Amino acid sequence: KHSVALLLIDIDNFKYLNDALGHKVGDSIILSVSKRLQHACGSTVTLARVGGDEFACLLTHEDSGLSADEVAMSCLQSAREPIHIDGKHHQLSLSIGISLFPQDAASAEEMMRHSDTAMYRAKATGKDKFSFFSKDLKLAMRKRVETEIKLRTALDNNSLTVFFQPKYDLNLNKVVGAESLVRLIDEDGNITPPDEFIPLSEETGLIHRLGKQVLVKSCEFIAKCVEANEPFKIAVNVSAQQIANPYFAKEVEEVIVSTGIDPGLIELEVTESALMADFDQTRNVLLALSSLGLSLALDDFGTGYSSLSYLRQFPLNVLKIDRSFIKDMDTEPQALDIVTAIVRLGSCLNMVLVAEGLETELQFHSLRQLGCEYGQGYYMCKPVSEDEFTERFLNQAPIMT
């Protein structure tokens, strides 16, 4: 019943080194790190290699002269010196998670699990550091597990909810389409924010199932609108992982065919970061998508890599002006100048312009005067359920002056 500390130590980015340089160099790196950790931890503590590039250091009450954070810091420093192999220097770093008994764990298994969670927190916050398992981390871990269960259940039951944020023609003062936005709502009506379950879906690989379910529901909604004589164009967000899938265009085609819609009524939104992974692969996928007859929008333009070469080399039809510029255009001349430049750029390239995040009447009229054709935002309408959208905007009359 004495205190025990467990340090789980992981070599950052080791897999990439091992794959790029070969297993022989990888083994040499493991050996060098092992020797450095032995020296950093000292001879009185228990040090073990517990996985390919993972080590565990166990501190007991008998090592009372050593604190967990001191040992962790010593380990981090030991790895920062370049490792010399075959005349080449390799710069490494470690991420360390620490669990304490009996403070946060009641068993060896729980200590391993908690130190692993803390280690991934260290990686997520920049690497080359250590992190203690904490009550907040425990709550976050529990919430993550609960969210993943909710997400998997929703996917299995085809019960993801899609809301629609109306897209307005700023000159005609009426809704001409919408952006579909996925929501995770459980049986009790509790809503999990997208910024919690979307990153989780990407980490777990569920983003492909999620993306397809949203696309299907969006296409089915388009079919309903066409049946009501309102052929609204619906924009659907696409993740970088979906774009990286070489069969993605085929999957989209199958959804279009199965729902029987005009592909011209679908718009896929991609972010600048989604275009960065593999230029040739991305271009091929986008060309295949474009050949289906749908349109492609560059989302959040101006906030990512902002390479103008994308606008030339990818088959993009729509440019979405990020809300961060729209938000400040009333008060900051520079933000207004940027919006003006983007509108002119899009116009010169014959691209459709859509402004996101309109919140004031001044923004609405300023964008219309600048020549931006379309906009969406809380000033006009927040995202609404399918039923509310249908009730409000099918067979509509002009709704703004």
Side-chain angles (χ1 to χ4, degrees), residues 26-263:
D27 289 346
S28 296
I29 289 173
I30 291 287
L31 187 60
S32 297
V33 171
S34 301
K35 291 177 180 178
R36 292 185 182 192
L37 291 177
Q38 280 182 300
H39 184 266
C41 294
S43 59
T44 61
V45 304
T46 301
L47 179 68
R49 182 181 175 210
V50 294
D53 63 331
E54 280 190 344
F55 300 84
C57 176
L58 195 66
L59 299 173
T60 68
H61 69 285
E62 295 172 354
D63 310 307
S64 55
L66 299 169
S67 66
D69 52 353
E70 287 174 341
V71 173
M73 185 58 72
S74 180
C75 290
L76 292 176
Q77 290 174 343
S78 73
R80 289 170 183 157
E81 287 294 320
I83 293 177
H84 308 287
I85 300 173
D86 295 334
K88 294 183 179 179
H89 304 325
H90 302 283
Q91 191 73 50
L92 300 176
S93 66
L94 306 174
S95 291
I96 302 175
I98 305 172
S99 175
L100 303 175
F101 171 90
Q103 290 92 324
D104 66 59
S107 66
E109 180 187 3
E110 196 171 27
M111 287 190 80
M112 282 294 290
R113 194 166 67 247
H114 287 184
S115 59
D116 188 61
T117 300
M119 184 263 289
Y120 277 102
R121 168 61 64 88
K123 283 187 178 295
T125 54
K127 303 177 183 176
D128 192 25
K129 60 176 65 177
F130 65 87
S131 174
F132 280 90
F133 187 82
S134 64
K135 186 177 180 180
D136 289 343
L137 204 51
K138 186 173 186 177
L139 291 173
M141 182 174 68
R142 184 179 300 165
K143 189 173 183 180
R144 175 191 167 92
V145 171
E146 291 172 352
T147 300
E148 184 174 348
I149 291 172
K150 286 182 183 179
L151 179 58
R152 288 185 183 276
T153 300
L155 289 170
D156 291 342
N157 297 335
N158 193 34
S159 60
L160 283 173
T161 302
V162 177
F163 276 42
F164 296 92
Q165 182 163 35
K167 184 184 296 180
Y168 287 75
D169 184 311
L170 302 184
N171 294 307
L172 297 178
N173 299 330
K174 66 179 293 185
V175 174
V176 292
E179 178 181 355
S180 61
L181 301 165
V182 64
R183 298 289 184 264
L184 181 59
I185 306 175
D186 63 23
E187 60 272 12
D188 298 322
N190 300 312
I191 300 177
T192 303
D195 59 0
E196 289 183 16
F197 72 85
I198 295 293
L200 179 62
S201 73
E202 292 174 334
E203 291 172 26
T204 56
L206 294 172
I207 188 65
H208 299 283
R209 290 180 63 195
L210 183 152
K212 184 171 183 179
Q213 197 168 121
V214 172
L215 180 63
V216 169
K217 289 177 182 287
S218 300
C219 289
E220 289 173 345
F221 179 64
I222 290 173
K224 290 178 185 177
C225 293
V226 170
E227 196 174 327
N229 295 315
E230 282 284 7
F232 284 131
K233 189 170 190 173
I234 303 298
V236 182
N237 291 284
V238 176
S239 76
Q241 289 186 36
Q242 288 174 281
I243 291 293
N245 174 11
Y247 303 105
F248 179 59
K250 184 65 177 176
E251 291 178 2
V252 173
E253 183 180 18
E254 289 171 355
V255 173
I256 291 171
V257 171
S258 66
T259 52
I261 65 160
D262 176 358

Side-chain angles (χ1 to χ4, degrees), residues 278-295:
D278 183 325
F279 181 89
D280 291 333
Q281 158 78 8
T282 300
R283 189 168 185 274
N284 289 337
V285 171
L286 293 184
L287 285 170
L289 288 168
S290 183
S291 70
L292 298 177
L294 51 77
S295 59

Side-chain angles (χ1 to χ4, degrees), residues 189-399:
N190 300 312
I191 300 177
T192 303
D195 59 0
E196 289 183 16
F197 72 85
I198 295 293
L200 179 62
S201 73
E202 292 174 334
E203 291 172 26
T204 56
L206 294 172
I207 188 65
H208 299 283
R209 290 180 63 195
L210 183 152
K212 184 171 183 179
Q213 197 168 121
V214 172
L215 180 63
V216 169
K217 289 177 182 287
S218 300
C219 289
E220 289 173 345
F221 179 64
I222 290 173
K224 290 178 185 177
C225 293
V226 170
E227 196 174 327
N229 295 315
E230 282 284 7
F232 284 131
K233 189 170 190 173
I234 303 298
V236 182
N237 291 284
V238 176
S239 76
Q241 289 186 36
Q242 288 174 281
I243 291 293
N245 174 11
Y247 303 105
F248 179 59
K250 184 65 177 176
E251 291 178 2
V252 173
E253 183 180 18
E254 289 171 355
V255 173
I256 291 171
V257 171
S258 66
T259 52
I261 65 160
D262 176 358
L265 295 175
I266 273 285
E267 183 172 291
L268 298 184
E269 294 188 6
V270 297
T271 60
E272 293 180 29
S273 58
L275 305 179
M276 285 298 293
D278 183 325
F279 181 89
D280 291 333
Q281 158 78 8
T282 300
R283 189 168 185 274
N284 289 337
V285 171
L286 293 184
L287 285 170
L289 288 168
S290 183
S291 70
L292 298 177
L294 51 77
S295 59
L296 296 168
L298 183 58
D299 198 11
D300 302 334
F301 181 72
T303 62
Y305 298 92
S306 300
S307 172
L308 298 182
S309 65
Y310 296 154
L311 305 184
R312 283 194 314 114
Q313 299 183 58
F314 292 126
L316 300 166
N317 315 102
V318 181
L319 206 56
K320 298 198 75 175
I321 309 172
D322 188 69
R323 66 184 65 247
S324 62
F325 301 126
I326 304 300
K327 176 174 66 73
D328 297 326
M329 65 183 289
D330 288 351
T331 55
E332 294 185 12
Q334 189 179 54
L336 178 59
D337 290 342
I338 290 174
V339 173
T340 303
I342 294 174
V343 170
R344 289 176 179 171
L345 175 65
S347 179
C348 289
L349 295 172
N350 294 317
M351 298 181 73
V352 175
L353 288 151
V354 181
E356 297 181 291
L358 276 75
E359 295 183 355
T360 69
E361 183 179 4
L362 180 58
Q363 290 168 358
F364 179 90
H365 290 295
S366 296
L367 285 161
R368 182 163 63 180
Q369 289 173 357
L370 286 173
C372 181
E373 302 104 312
Y374 304 103
Q376 60 189 78
Y378 275 39
Y379 171 65
M380 293 89 83
C381 185
K382 66 180 182 180
V384 295
S385 68
E386 179 179 326
D387 289 342
E388 184 176 348
F389 189 97
T390 300
E391 182 181 339
R392 290 179 59 179
F393 301 117
L394 291 192
N395 302 313
Q396 66 184 329
I399 55 177

